[in-house]
Amino acid sequence: MACGELRRELEQYLQALNISVVCVEHPEVFTVEEMMPHVEHLKGAHSKNLFLKDKKKKDFWLVTVLHNRQVNLGDLAKKLNVGSGNLRFADEAALLEKLHVAQGCVTPLALFCDKGSVKFVLDSGFLEGGYEKVYFHPMTNSATMGLKPDDFLTFVKKTGHEPIIVKFDDIC
């Protein structure tokens, strides 16, 4: 399914939940560093998203942190009780299968495509930072979508995911 079609489905899903969003179009970007000049005027929390696989259990993890965080996969694995050295970046085929997005488009908004096989880890900073909006790609890396933190949590839970809230200040 094309990302434009998925984006429309996402927007319809959010509308059905009575969640209002703001969306800003920008050139296609593949890293946080490329994205920030296009969205730094938007007040709120911007994200960095990692799609990971647990080497031993074969579990998939979507990790969403504040855009300026450095994430040590070994420390994160310990925090999640996965075991040091067991978290790896998942390949693009798994990303497409589970979340229906390609590399460079990873977003927690893609959880509405998942059938419960991806565990979602959220940086507590999104909820504790007093942000008016939290921003993510809307299934494409040529736009950024903002929504209220409470609405974002409602969205995540309605997709059938219970977020694992992690205080990254303690492990970064």
Side-chain angles (χ1 to χ4, degrees):
M1 186 177 298
C3 62
E5 192 174 321
L6 276 172
R7 179 176 168 182
R8 283 188 292 282
E9 284 187 28
L10 169 64
E11 290 168 345
Q12 291 169 352
Y13 188 86
L14 291 165
Q15 188 175 27
L17 295 174
N18 291 319
I19 294 175
S20 61
V21 300
V22 296
C23 200
V24 174
E25 307 294 324
H26 52 70
E28 192 174 51
V29 294
F30 293 93
T31 65
V32 171
E33 292 77 20
E34 290 177 41
M35 177 188 68
M36 287 312 293
H38 303 290
V39 299
E40 61 192 355
H41 67 282
L42 300 171
K43 301 292 184 227
H46 296 274
S47 67
K48 178 188 303 185
N49 302 283
L50 311 172
F51 188 62
L52 307 171
K53 181 177 181 179
D54 175 347
K55 186 171 96 173
K56 289 190 176 179
K57 295 181 184 176
K58 310 270 191 267
D59 289 331
F60 291 94
W61 302 80
L62 174 59
V63 178
T64 297
V65 298
L66 293 172
H67 80 280
N68 55 354
R69 293 254 196 237
Q70 296 298 316
V71 179
N72 179 301
L73 294 184
D75 292 345
L76 178 60
K78 288 177 191 170
K79 183 79 169 179
L80 298 174
N81 295 317
V82 175
S84 181
N86 288 329
L87 283 181
R88 304 270 189 270
F89 285 96
D91 62 28
E92 188 168 26
L95 180 58
L96 287 165
E97 176 191 339
K98 302 295 182 186
L99 297 179
H100 302 238
V101 294
Q103 289 178 345
C105 301
V106 179
T107 175
L109 297 176
L111 289 171
F112 88 105
C113 295
D114 178 49
K115 304 300 180 221
S117 61
V118 175
K119 296 177 183 182
F120 179 54
V121 177
L122 181 65
D123 185 337
S124 64
F126 283 97
L127 307 175
E128 298 169 354
Y131 298 109
E132 185 177 317
K133 298 265 189 228
V134 292
Y135 292 95
F136 313 101
H137 287 314
M139 309 302 289
T140 174
N141 59 355
S142 61
T144 297
M145 180 179 280
L147 53 162
K148 294 177 185 172
D150 287 346
D151 286 344
F152 174 64
L153 276 182
T154 297
F155 163 82
V156 169
K157 291 178 180 183
K158 290 290 185 178
T159 67
H161 296 83
E162 188 59 42
I164 301 165
I165 310 295
V166 172
K167 196 167 204 61
F168 277 84
D169 291 336
D170 296 343
I171 61 173
C172 291

